[in-house]
């Protein structure tokens, strides 16, 4: 086992490392949201129907998932900080590529590069966070993920302001230098300071843990994570399009709808620890899944923008803590190997969300396609309730957000 040098919580070095890590989490959300809120404009630019657009989005999620599978090895070989910085730089540049395209196939090719960058920064930044958390001896991972949500909120808000005035290309050309500047600032902070190494068990499970990784609780919580990730990924990709095309909202209002989801999820994640302590993981997932299901159905069927926004608030509040809770429970059941398996299942949900909804939307309309989000949220609740005997909250989990 690797020995970790314990640093005082108030030491400036550790505080700056935490700030730098938070910056990269926020940057990933900011750049992704800046692209996501322009999907309606990009759809019009390339002249794609929902089906081809869904396949183009599949290129992004597919490349992201494949990159996630190999980024852990890259972090071990080159260092998690170095990979984080490289992925952030690539993400800042590749956000421009989709705005240069004028056909669905070329859009898909450009999104492969964007997906590689996004998948890389997702895993690498989390790897850095594991080391920082080990040194802090505090469960602050939800704070990092909340930063991602609030970064997404900022990106969506900026997109809402710029959408009526700029086409996607100048918008993305504004995001690129912001991303590169943040990468330089955050990268200098990361590389200039010593990064305490996390204990070996916190990084990967050994070969002997295979049975634990595929245990029934791990698979069950992994399925819950899959349904939650499916819902979140589908909302990111399709809800702005639904608001603009089916309800008749402008691009700025559609971007605001995306921002509403990110804001409610971010705020609810900050309260996640107290909810788990008071209600327990099963009630958090069941209640959240049912609320998200109802919210999505209302948002998909209404013709009123205010009603749709109220429904999106309910959807964000309901979904916020399902995925984090599922990952925490999988970790309690199977250790780091359990988290790895459950996370893989979760990202499979993100992978299949865009094409499945796109194909159903082609056949029956986007409101019908969005019903799959409601179904996934309901399935998360349905699976969680009979699995309540498998759920555990360890005393350590109660010290901070999960």
């Amino acid at each position: 086992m690797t020995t970790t040098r314990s640093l005082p919580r108030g030491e400036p070095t550790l505080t700056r490392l935490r700030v730098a890590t938070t910056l990269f989490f926020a940057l990933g959300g900011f750049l992704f949201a800046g692209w996501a809120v322009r999907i309606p404009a990009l759809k019009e630019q390339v002249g794609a129907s929902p089906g081809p657009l869904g396949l183009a989005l599949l290129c992004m999620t597919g490349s992201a998932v494949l990159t996630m599978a190999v980024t852990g090895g890259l972090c071990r070989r080159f260092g998690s900080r170095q990979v984080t910085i490289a992925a952030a730089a690539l993400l800042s540049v590749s956000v421009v590529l989709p705005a240069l395209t004028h056909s669905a196939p070329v859009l898909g090719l450009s999104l492969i590069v964007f997906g590689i960058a996004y998948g890389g920064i997702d895993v690498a930044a989390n790897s850095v966070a594991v080391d920082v958390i080990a040194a802090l001896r505090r469960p602050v991972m939800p704070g990092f993920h909340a930063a991602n949500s609030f970064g997404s909120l900022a990106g969506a808000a900026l997109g809402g302001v710029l959408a009526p005035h700029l086409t996607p290309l100048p918008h993305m050309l504004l995001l690129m230098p912001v991303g590169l500047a943040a990468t330089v600032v955050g990268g200098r902070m990361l590389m200039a300071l010593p990064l305490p190494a996390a204990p070996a068990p916190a990084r990967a499970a050994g070969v002997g843990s295979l049975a634990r990784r595929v245990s029934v609780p791990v698979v069950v919580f992994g399925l819950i994570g899959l349904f939650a990730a499916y819902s979140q990924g589908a909302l990111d990709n399709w809800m702005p399009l639904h608001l603009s095309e089916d309800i008749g909202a402008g691009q700025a209002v559609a971007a605001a709808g995306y921002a509403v989801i990110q804001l409610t999820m971010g705020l609810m994640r900050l309260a996640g620890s107290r909810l788990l302590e008071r209600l327990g993981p099963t009630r958090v997932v069941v209640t959240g899944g049912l609320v998200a299901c109802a919210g999505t159905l209302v948002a998909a069927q209404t013709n009123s923008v205010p009603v749709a926004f109220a429904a999106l608030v309910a959807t964000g509040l309901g979904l916020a803590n399902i995925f984090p809770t599922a990952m925490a429970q999988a970790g309690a059941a199977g250790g780091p190997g359990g988290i790895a398996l459950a996370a893989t299942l979760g990202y499979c949900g993100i992978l299949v969300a865009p094409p499945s909804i796109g194909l159903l939307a082609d056949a029956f309309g986007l409101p019908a396609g969005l019903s799959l989000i409601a179904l996934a949220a309901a399935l998360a609740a349905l699976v969680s309730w009979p699995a309540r005997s498998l759920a555990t909250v360890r005393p350590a989990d109660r010290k901070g957000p999960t």
Side-chain angles (χ1 to χ4, degrees), residues 228 231-232 235 261 264-265 268-269 275 283-296 311-325 377 380-381:
S231 299
Q232 292 176 210
L235 283 170
I261 297 172
T264 53
M265 289 186 66
M268 198 63 170
R269 281 174 175 167
L275 285 175
R283 290 181 179 178
V284 167
V285 173
V286 171
T287 304
L290 294 178
V291 170
C293 175
T296 303
L312 291 179
V313 169
T315 302
L317 292 175
L319 282 178
N321 288 304
I322 297 179
F323 188 80
T325 300

Side-chain angles (χ1 to χ4, degrees), residues 204-215 218 333-338:
V207 176
S209 66
L210 178 61
R212 297 181 68 196
R213 289 202 298 269
V214 297
S215 66
V218 169

